Amino acid sequence: MRVLVAEDHRVLARTVATGLRRAVMAVDIARTGVEAEQMCLLTAYDVLVLDRDLPELSGDEVCRRLRELQDPPRILMLTAAGELTDRIYGLTALGADDYLAKPFDFTELVARVRALGRRAPKPPSTVLRFGAVTVDATRHEASVDGRPLVLTPKEFAVLHLLLSADGAPVPHDTLVRTVWDEHLDPRTSAVRATVSRLRGKLGDPGLILADRGEGYRLCD
């Protein structure tokens, strides 16, 4: 699940983002309303955690504008304005999908974000195959030669992306941008380590080839 946290309080934004990442979500941060809107136009986020009191463009206006999109993210308003009238206004007049007042319990925030993620539009069920490898994105299942694979969310996402490329190389920065988020330093060994573990679970290191520095690709 990919989440955008729009919060101008730097400490709170980092705290929320870190907690959601620990809950196995890819999280980006926007500091202003303008930045939040632009990031949502460029990236298909599943959920937007939105503070109402943002600089440059208010969270209220961001919510109104995103609601005009054909496929907007699910919006959870996270704000100090927690009176009943505020909640009703956010959910009805502004069109937010959920509303959580500050201060909040973090386990509740994670539960609400996950619930909104489940309500996000899902792509049609698609089973991808490449040679002996099969991935069912809807069921979140993968196998090789009919043998089920037990994969972490990152491993599954990398394998799914490689199968989607159908043998073409997937650049390193595409893997970082799609599977991880802006928080990951592209110079780290996270991608290489994940691919290494995935090769081991597939049982054939030659199934995933490094493509001369361009990225990785599947080899039948």
Side-chain angles (χ1 to χ4, degrees):
M1 184 191 308
R2 186 140 199 184
V3 181
L4 176 63
V5 175
E7 171 62 62
D8 64 323
H9 191 289
R10 291 184 178 274
V11 174
L12 179 58
R14 287 197 302 268
T15 300
V16 171
T18 299
L20 293 177
R21 288 176 184 129
R22 288 173 178 167
V24 200
M25 302 179 197
V27 186
D28 296 333
I29 297 175
R31 308 292 187 188
T32 70
V34 171
E35 187 179 14
E37 181 186 24
Q38 291 175 344
M39 292 176 71
C40 286
L41 292 175
L42 293 172
T43 304
Y45 291 103
D46 298 298
V47 179
L48 167 62
V49 179
L50 179 65
D51 181 21
R52 289 184 65 180
D53 188 20
L54 290 173
E56 297 184 9
L57 186 67
S58 72
D60 291 5
E61 187 59 27
V62 172
C63 188
R64 290 192 187 96
R65 294 186 183 189
L66 293 180
R67 281 290 162 240
E68 297 177 0
L69 299 179
Q70 183 176 0
D71 187 17
R74 294 296 186 261
I75 298 176
L76 168 61
M77 282 196 158
L78 188 64
T79 173
E83 298 296 327
L84 177 60
T85 53
D86 295 317
R87 299 198 301 271
I88 292 174
Y89 181 76
L91 294 169
T92 57
L94 299 180
D97 297 285
D98 201 355
Y99 200 104
L100 184 60
K102 302 173 183 176
F104 56 90
D105 183 90
F106 199 83
T107 56
E108 181 181 4
L109 172 63
V110 172
R112 286 175 180 264
V113 170
R114 282 179 171 158
L116 289 177
R118 290 195 295 270
R119 289 165 52 189
K122 305 298 182 185
S125 176
T126 303
V127 177
L128 300 177
R129 294 184 176 85
F130 189 92
V133 183
T134 301
V135 166
D136 187 331
T138 302
R139 296 177 178 271
H140 208 273
E141 296 175 349
S143 64
V144 58
D145 284 325
R147 173 176 59 85
L149 299 172
V150 180
L151 305 177
T152 67
K154 298 298 187 191
E155 292 165 356
F156 185 90
V158 168
L159 184 60
H160 182 265
L161 193 58
L162 291 174
L163 262 73
S164 299
D166 196 29
V170 178
H172 180 274
D173 61 346
T174 299
L175 283 166
V176 171
R177 185 175 63 252
T178 306
V179 179
W180 281 268
D181 54 49
E182 64 178 12
H183 182 69
L184 181 73
D185 186 339
R187 295 169 297 180
T188 67
S189 61
V191 174
R192 186 168 62 252
T194 300
V195 170
S196 178
R197 292 194 302 269
L198 186 55
R199 283 170 171 156
K201 292 182 178 182
L202 289 171
D204 182 358
L207 283 176
I208 303 178
L209 298 180
D211 198 60
R212 295 185 179 180
E214 295 183 15
Y216 298 92
R217 63 182 177 88
L218 288 176
C219 181
D220 191 356

